[in-house]
Amino acid sequence: MTSQDPHTRYALVVPSSSLKAASRVPAHVRQILRIDVYEVTDDDRVCRLTD
């Protein structure tokens, strides 16, 4: 995660069973680090975690 380009985003993709742990990182920290969190459900849907 070394890009200085403000348009660069990073993604963390987790199964539903790990979403609670991933969302413990405060939204403002994820925003500063430019990290988006995505959940993959048991029926293979992908949903972005909204803050």
Side-chain angles (χ1 to χ4, degrees):
M1 297 175 49
T2 59
S3 175
Q4 299 300 317
D5 182 352
H7 297 101
T8 299
R9 303 288 306 168
Y10 299 94
L12 175 64
V13 181
V14 297
S16 295
S17 60
S18 299
L19 185 61
K20 185 176 178 180
S23 63
R24 283 189 287 199
V25 177
H28 72 276
V29 173
R30 293 192 312 265
Q31 183 178 17
I32 291 168
L33 296 174
R34 302 182 321 246
I35 296 174
D36 297 321
V37 177
Y38 292 86
E39 169 191 14
V40 179
T41 65
D42 292 336
D43 59 352
D44 295 327
R45 288 183 299 120
V46 177
C47 308
R48 183 176 175 196
L49 176 64
T50 56
D51 302 322

